[in-house]
Amino acid sequence: MFQQLTALPADPLLGIAVAYRQDTNPKKVDLGVGVYKTEEGATPILTSVKKSLQILLDSEDSKSYIQARGNQAFLDGMEKLVLGADNPLLSSNRVESVQAPGGTGSLRLGFELIKRGNPNAKVWVSGPTWANHLALIKASGLESAEYPYYDKANNQLKADEMLEAFAKLGKDDVVLLHGCCHNPTGEDIPADLWPKIADLAVEKGFTPFIDIAYQGFGVDLETDVQGVRHLLSRVPEALIATSCSKNFGLYRERTGLLTTISETPVLAGAALSHVLNIAREIYSMPPSYGGATVGILLADEALTTEWKTELADMCARMRTLRALLVDKLHARGVDQSFDFINRQNGMFTFLGITPEQVQAIRDEYAIYMAGSSRINIAGISNSNVDYIADAVAAILKK
């Protein structure tokens, strides 16, 4: 059965993590895999999450399956978090959500639903996008294509080119949009552009699919999804994949949900039935702990307030680290400007250096990042920022 198989190359980012762990250099720095880190380099369990987990442990009385849709408090709480508690969509019976194993599982459910709804659909992704988007689209049997997004030479959004590309799409097209904190560039769609995207979606009939993995990591919980909410208020149908890995720190609990917005309540029920059927064929029932924990947290006003404070602190820290890195690089007299890093949002940015320079920094300084020069801002600390700036400056001056 397995005689014809040959080993596949390691996932680039996961391979970086392995190489970093094996490196014996005491000064090594991990700017690769996208997890939040403290000043000490730890990825903590949030205090609000610990309290919610304890409530769950004390109250749980069975290990039987939860309902196929997932934890109801989780679904209700997350819909309100993303859409807004007073969003009329929530009372329209056009919105349905299903808990899934992480943001990746949510995306896969969405792509499989698209495949059932329109096997000829083409999914358009930003250039560049999170690498796993392309793998998930391909695994679902869908065709993908790239729309203009980031100008690497000038470190800015290709706004006009993106809108021109959207103007050529139609009803067989799905546009995958990052809700906030674009991965891998950190370059977000500005507030004034979302209405223009909504206009084109309505006019041309393409379907938006929003990936929200970092709500609260950009500016704040509300600002980060204002553009998304405007878009969703305008279009007849859309999909939203949401992850709780980053903003709740539930990486290993694989906690996410797929939300569908349909044109009518009848179509919403049909979409839900297919999503549940797809889930049944892939993993049958959703995991419990992550969803139950978030459900408890979002249903408790005190815990929600504590969580929002912790989230705001993480967001502020990353904003401070961006400014610190820019200041340190400029202080070393490098020719190119890194001011764009301060404009961007979330965990990621491109340094704008070549793959060869990325490799040189890894070989000479044991600083690990993706070959594209994408770095995890949260991997920077007060104790390593000078070392990072020295390395980047030295390589750029060669």
Side-chain angles (χ1 to χ4, degrees), residues 21 33-36 41-46 49-50 53 99-104 243-256 286-291 293-294:
R21 286 195 296 270
V33 177
V35 298
Y36 179 80
T43 301
I45 303 174
L46 301 183
V49 169
K50 281 187 177 181
L53 274 168
Q99 184 178 334
T104 301
S243 169
C244 297
S245 292
K246 274 71 177 183
N247 53 8
F248 289 92
L250 289 169
Y251 301 90
R252 66 177 60 172
E253 302 298 347
R254 312 310 301 133
T255 308
S288 171
Y289 260 48
T293 301
V294 173

Side-chain angles (χ1 to χ4, degrees), residues 256-271:
L257 74 158
L258 176 72
T259 300
T260 59
I261 298 174
S262 304
E263 192 167 10
T264 67
V266 172
L267 290 173

Side-chain angles (χ1 to χ4, degrees), residues 35-286:
V35 298
Y36 179 80
K37 298 177 183 179
T38 64
E39 176 67 23
E40 295 73 33
T43 301
I45 303 174
L46 301 183
T47 302
S48 55
V49 169
K50 281 187 177 181
K51 292 178 180 178
S52 302
L53 274 168
Q54 191 60 55
I55 293 172
L56 175 60
L57 289 170
D58 292 341
S59 62
E60 190 174 45
D61 58 5
S62 175
K63 290 297 181 184
S64 181
Y65 298 117
I66 61 174
Q67 65 168 337
R69 292 187 64 171
N71 181 286
Q72 194 61 51
F74 168 71
L75 299 175
D76 294 342
M78 288 300 296
E79 285 181 355
K80 292 177 182 177
L81 186 70
V82 173
L83 298 177
D86 58 350
N87 193 321
L89 279 171
L90 293 177
S91 58
S92 69
N93 295 318
R94 294 171 50 209
V95 178
E96 298 289 356
S97 295
V98 172
Q99 184 178 334
T104 301
S106 306
L107 287 161
R108 181 62 185 270
L109 286 181
F111 293 136
E112 293 287 350
L113 179 64
I114 292 165
K115 179 69 174 179
R116 287 194 181 186
N118 183 353
N120 297 316
K122 180 184 290 186
V123 182
W124 293 79
V125 302
S126 63
T129 193
W130 181 46
N132 214 24
H133 280 152
L134 297 171
L136 292 166
I137 295 167
K138 181 179 179 181
S140 301
L142 292 167
E143 183 182 356
S144 66
E146 186 176 274
Y147 60 84
Y149 190 81
Y150 190 68
D151 181 349
K152 293 182 180 179
N154 297 300
N155 301 300
Q156 63 186 18
L157 187 71
K158 294 181 177 180
D160 292 339
E161 293 178 51
M162 178 175 66
L163 293 177
E164 290 172 6
F166 291 168
K168 298 175 183 177
L169 304 184
K171 293 184 178 180
D172 289 336
D173 294 302
V174 176
V175 174
L176 185 63
L177 298 161
H178 299 231
C180 60
C181 305
H182 185 272
N183 181 3
T185 68
E187 191 72 39
D188 282 347
I189 297 171
D192 63 346
L193 216 58
W194 284 99
K196 295 179 182 179
I197 295 172
D199 289 341
L200 288 170
V202 172
E203 177 186 350
K204 302 298 179 180
F206 63 79
T207 302
F209 191 165
I210 317 296
D211 185 1
I212 301 177
Y214 304 95
Q215 185 180 356
F217 266 30
V219 178
D220 56 56
L221 283 167
E222 295 297 307
T223 305
D224 287 355
V225 290
Q226 280 184 350
V228 171
R229 289 175 182 174
H230 177 85
L231 173 62
L232 297 177
S233 72
R234 299 277 310 283
V235 296
E237 61 182 24
L239 299 94
I240 312 162
T242 310
S243 169
C244 297
S245 292
K246 274 71 177 183
N247 53 8
F248 289 92
L250 289 169
Y251 301 90
R252 66 177 60 172
E253 302 298 347
R254 312 310 301 133
T255 308
L257 74 158
L258 176 72
T259 300
T260 59
I261 298 174
S262 304
E263 192 167 10
T264 67
V266 172
L267 290 173
L272 174 63
S273 71
H274 279 275
V275 174
L276 290 173
N277 179 253
I278 293 165
R280 178 68 168 163
E281 293 177 353
I282 299 176
Y283 57 85
S284 188
M285 296 293 180

Side-chain angles (χ1 to χ4, degrees), residues 349-388:
T349 189
F350 279 167
L351 281 181
I353 60 178
T354 68
E356 293 75 20
Q357 290 170 325
V358 168
Q359 188 63 46
I361 288 176
R362 174 174 165 175
D363 293 342
E364 297 178 31
Y365 297 92
I367 297 175
Y368 290 78
M369 66 185 77
S372 62
S373 82
R374 188 205 82 167
I375 63 169
N376 174 14
I377 293 293
I380 301 168
S381 67
N382 286 288
S383 61
N384 67 24
V385 66
D386 283 300
Y387 182 66
I388 294 169

